[in-house]
Amino acid sequence: MPIDSRPLAIFLMGPTASGKTALACALSERFPVDLISVDSALVYRNMDIGTAKPDSATLARYPHALVDIRDPAEPYSAADFCADATAAMKHISRQGRVPLLVGGTGLYFRALQQGLSDLPEADAQIRAQLCAEAERLGWPALHARLAVLDPVAAARIGVRDTQRLQRALEVIALTGKPLSRQQSRRRRCFPWRVLKLALLPQDRGVLHERIARRFDMMLEAGFIDEVRAFRKRPDLHAALPAMRAVGYRQAWEHLEGTTGAGDFRERGIFATRQLAKRQITWLRSDFGTRMLDSESSSLQTVAAQAVRSFIGDGTMSPPG
C-alpha cells in the first residue's frame, strides 16, 4: 500500500457554544498548529458581540486566519471560503506547521474537503425578488413553493433556514432544474490528510443552558447597540447574508418593532438552539469524525492525545 505523503490538517468542529475556540487555543499551546476560522459570521468585521467572536486579546495571542476579512455589506460564499482557506493552509504547511481549522459552519468544511457543485453564481436581481416575496408572503409560503418545485431539497431545508431556502429557489429560477438534481459533488483527492474531531455534548440540555447563558451575556455586552449601529448604515439591510445570521436577524426584527424585548430573547435563543441541532445532525452523519464529549473534564487530554497520535514526530511536505 502506498504511503500517504500528503501534509496534515486538523478539523475541529462542533455546534455553537460547545467550546471549540477554547480547545483550539489550548491545542495551539501544545502543538505546532496555526488556526483557521471556519465560521460564516466571523468573516465579517464589527460583528463581534452577536457572533461570540474571540476578543482582541485572544486573537492577538491565538491568531485566527479568516476572521474580520469582509465588511457586512459584502457577500462571502462557500467558494470564497474554499479559496481563502486553501491559500491559508498552503502557507501554514509550507512553514512546516499544521493548519487547525476550527468552527461550526458545516457547509464550509464539506465544500473544502469534497469540492463544490457546479451551480450558477448568485443573481442579485432574483435574490431581491425572493426577499420582496418573503416580506409580502412570508418564508413558509416560499418553502411551500420549494416543496412543489423540489420536494427533495424542501425536505432537507427547514422553513427557518432562509439563506438555503432562498438559494434553492434562486438556482431553480436560474436553471429551470431542481437544486437536488444539481448537487452532485465533484469528488477529488483532498490535498491534506485530515484528523476530524467534533465536540458533542452527551446531554443536549447542558448545551441549551450554555446557549441561553451566552445569549444573555451578549445582551449585557451591548448586542442590541451593535445591531442598531448596523441599521444606521444605508448599505445594510435585513436581506444580506450577514444580517440574516442567527441572532442578528432576530435583533433586526426586534428593532423594527416586530417583537418585544422578552420575545426577542426567546426567539434568539430558540434560533441558536435550532442551529446547534442542525450542526449536531450534520456532524453525526459525517464519516470518519472522532466524537469528543464537550462537557468531559478530560476533554483537553483526550483531544491532545488524538492530535499527538496524528501529528507524530513532524509534518509532511506541503502540497504543490
Side-chain angles (χ1 to χ4, degrees):
M1 178 179 254
I3 297 175
D4 189 342
S5 61
R6 290 176 295 171
L8 308 179
I10 300 168
F11 288 1
L12 178 55
M13 306 172 286
T16 185
S18 60
K20 299 181 296 296
T21 298
L23 179 57
C25 293
L27 291 173
S28 72
E29 292 273 12
R30 304 177 63 172
F31 299 100
V33 299
D34 290 338
L35 308 182
I36 300 174
S37 171
V38 186
D39 191 298
S40 59
L42 293 189
V43 299
Y44 294 113
R45 291 186 289 272
N46 300 317
M47 289 178 59
D48 301 330
I49 300 173
T51 62
K53 185 179 295 179
D55 60 31
S56 57
T58 300
L59 291 175
R61 183 172 180 179
Y62 308 102
H64 288 55
L66 309 191
V67 171
D68 292 338
I69 60 173
R70 284 287 193 279
D71 184 85
E74 299 175 313
Y76 193 76
S77 67
D80 293 326
F81 169 79
C82 289
D84 291 341
T86 298
M89 293 177 74
K90 286 183 177 181
H91 175 74
I92 293 168
S93 295
R94 289 191 183 107
Q95 308 306 308
R97 296 175 64 81
V98 176
L100 190 161
L101 290 85
V102 54
T105 303
L107 171 63
Y108 285 6
F109 278 114
R110 186 184 296 115
L112 179 65
Q113 190 174 24
Q114 298 181 6
L116 288 162
S117 304
D118 290 317
L119 295 175
E121 294 184 0
D123 185 290
Q125 183 176 357
I126 291 177
R127 290 198 168 189
Q129 291 173 352
L130 290 169
C131 285
E133 289 186 66
E135 287 287 331
R136 188 175 72 256
L137 304 173
W139 285 106
L142 269 65
H143 190 273
R145 181 189 304 171
L146 180 63
V148 174
L149 297 173
D150 188 349
V152 175
R156 188 173 62 243
I157 299 172
V159 176
R160 294 183 178 85
D161 195 351
T162 58
Q163 190 166 347
R164 293 176 66 205
L165 175 55
Q166 182 191 58
R167 177 58 174 162
L169 290 170
E170 177 190 38
V171 169
I172 293 171
L174 288 169
T175 65
K177 300 176 182 178
L179 173 67
S180 58
R181 293 184 187 175
Q182 303 180 61
Q183 286 187 315
S184 56
R185 300 183 181 277
R186 296 192 302 270
R187 292 286 176 176
R188 63 193 177 100
C189 180
F190 189 52
W192 284 265
R193 184 156 56 94
V194 180
L195 168 67
K196 294 196 283 188
L197 304 174
L199 303 188
L200 290 178
Q202 290 189 350
D203 181 358
R204 195 170 299 187
V206 174
L207 181 62
H208 286 180
E209 291 176 4
R210 292 183 64 171
I211 288 171
R213 187 164 57 249
R214 190 175 74 172
F215 197 85
D216 286 335
M217 292 174 62
M218 291 176 182
L219 294 177
E220 293 174 6
F223 179 35
I224 288 293
D225 289 334
E226 182 175 83
V227 180
R228 186 176 284 116
F230 287 139
R231 282 174 54 83
K232 292 179 180 179
R233 288 181 45 175
D235 59 338
L236 295 182
H237 53 83
L240 286 168
M243 294 300 102
R244 291 209 307 272
V246 167
Y248 286 86
R249 180 173 48 151
Q250 289 76 24
W252 192 287
E253 293 170 350
H254 169 59
L255 291 173
E256 285 182 335
T258 305
T259 59
D263 191 34
F264 154 60
R265 176 184 177 275
E266 293 303 316
R267 285 165 58 88
I269 292 173
F270 177 77
T272 309
R273 288 173 175 171
Q274 290 298 106
L275 170 63
K277 180 180 179 180
R278 293 193 298 271
Q279 290 170 320
I280 290 171
T281 298
W282 173 74
L283 286 168
R284 285 179 171 160
S285 68
D286 192 42
F287 179 75
T289 298
R290 178 170 178 179
M291 306 297 177
L292 305 177
D293 180 6
S294 60
E295 299 301 321
S296 172
S297 60
S298 61
L299 171 62
Q300 288 193 16
T301 300
V302 173
Q305 289 172 345
V307 171
R308 184 178 295 108
S309 176
F310 180 67
I311 289 178
D313 296 327
T315 62
M316 303 293 184
S317 302

